[in-house]
Amino acid sequence: MRQLIAGNWKMHGRLADIAAYAAALRQAPSHVDLLVCPPFPLLDRFAGALNGSPVALGAQDCHPEAQGAHTGDVSAPMLKEAGASYVILGHSERRENHGESNAVVCAKTRAAMAAGLTPIVCVGETAAEREGGVAEQVVRTQLHHSLPADFSGVIAYEPVWAIGTGKTPTEADVAAMHGAIRAALVSQLGAARGGVKILYGGSVKPANAASLLALPEVGGALVGGASLKAEDFLAIAAGAPAV
Ligand code: PEP
């Protein structure tokens, strides 16, 4: 399976950054799929800059409803219209800063799928949960309540304590968690639906990308900070195993 390397720009980037970044991404290696998820106001301009390139565009959140009185929110059909084909949902920063429960993430996932977007649903344990020996249990619970029965999309395993910290789990821990996620997905969704891609996210850099991306059941990476520099993002993509 081709790996997916997704960049989460979070609340970074300005219109003036887009042209050079999109031009640099035209040099992307051909054995991986690349995705950039900038803030909402950059989507339309990014879509134009990426036109004709194989790099996909995504957003970082959507509302569960298609329209309505929800000041400050953006719906999945609006994202689709702006040129997005993916949307990141249930990122730990949204779960923590906006109080998003698994049920809310599930409703947003349904909305994304209904609008024809591919949801990237994020799960991951806190440091206290890992230290307490309940990381797999926490992630299984998140999957159970965040995914609709007809889920089709991508999962991102992002240990909360690894995001933006420079810390990563050991390779053995990543492999064990991805194996546990695969088993949970197959048991929850069935063999066919449970075969979705599972990305690893949390302090992926050019220096550690190749070893993380080579681990069993790792189908790509969700990259925050290192996706902001095209050079680093491309170096991470180059680390994906050949298919
Ligand atoms: C993220 O926020 O999805 C992420 C993985 O961030 P970073 O790569 O900066 O740890």
Side-chain angles (χ1 to χ4, degrees):
M1 208 196 272
R2 285 166 69 82
Q3 294 208 344
L4 172 66
I5 309 297
N8 173 12
W9 275 29
K10 310 192 185 195
M11 200 171 70
H12 295 288
R14 305 299 288 261
L15 291 171
D17 303 326
I18 294 174
Y21 188 89
L25 259 45
R26 288 183 190 267
Q27 311 305 316
S30 58
H31 68 291
V32 283
D33 294 322
L34 280 196
L35 164 67
V36 187
C37 302
F40 297 138
L42 273 56
L43 281 173
D44 185 57
R45 180 83 66 89
F46 237 120
L50 291 174
N51 193 17
S53 102
V55 178
L57 190 62
Q60 300 170 20
D61 182 41
C62 71
H63 193 274
E65 291 174 27
Q67 59 187 27
H70 302 292
T71 304
D73 282 315
V74 174
S75 77
M78 291 170 184
L79 298 176
K80 179 85 177 167
E81 222 171 54
S85 50
Y86 286 81
V87 59
I88 298 169
L89 295 172
H91 190 283
S92 63
E93 286 155 12
R94 294 214 56 92
R95 289 178 185 267
E96 201 175 312
N97 302 341
H98 299 268
E100 288 191 8
S101 64
N102 291 320
V104 167
V105 175
C106 189
K108 291 182 171 194
T109 302
R110 281 201 186 89
M113 289 166 57
L117 296 171
T118 301
I120 300 179
V121 177
C122 302
V123 293
E125 81 285 356
T126 62
E129 288 161 345
R130 175 151 292 272
E131 280 151 24
V134 294
E136 287 187 13
Q137 189 186 317
V138 164
V139 167
R140 269 196 297 272
T141 302
Q142 289 174 329
L143 291 170
H144 186 73
H145 295 289
S146 301
L147 303 182
D150 62 346
F151 177 71
S152 94
V154 174
I155 302 297
Y157 166 56
E158 298 206 303
V160 178
W161 53 272
I163 294 176
T165 58
K167 296 181 194 160
T168 53
T170 64
E171 291 177 14
D173 283 345
V174 173
M177 182 60 90
H178 278 243
I181 291 173
R182 174 67 66 218
L185 290 172
V186 169
S187 124
Q188 184 181 331
L189 304 171
R193 289 195 188 281
V196 300
K197 234 183 250 296
I198 308 168
L199 310 183
Y200 168 76
S203 295
V204 177
K205 309 278 178 224
N208 61 16
S211 50
L212 288 165
L213 293 170
L215 295 171
E217 297 294 1
V218 172
L222 181 53
V223 185
S227 71
L228 293 170
K229 271 178 68 184
E231 192 190 342
D232 289 348
F233 193 43
L234 289 172
I236 289 169
V243 281

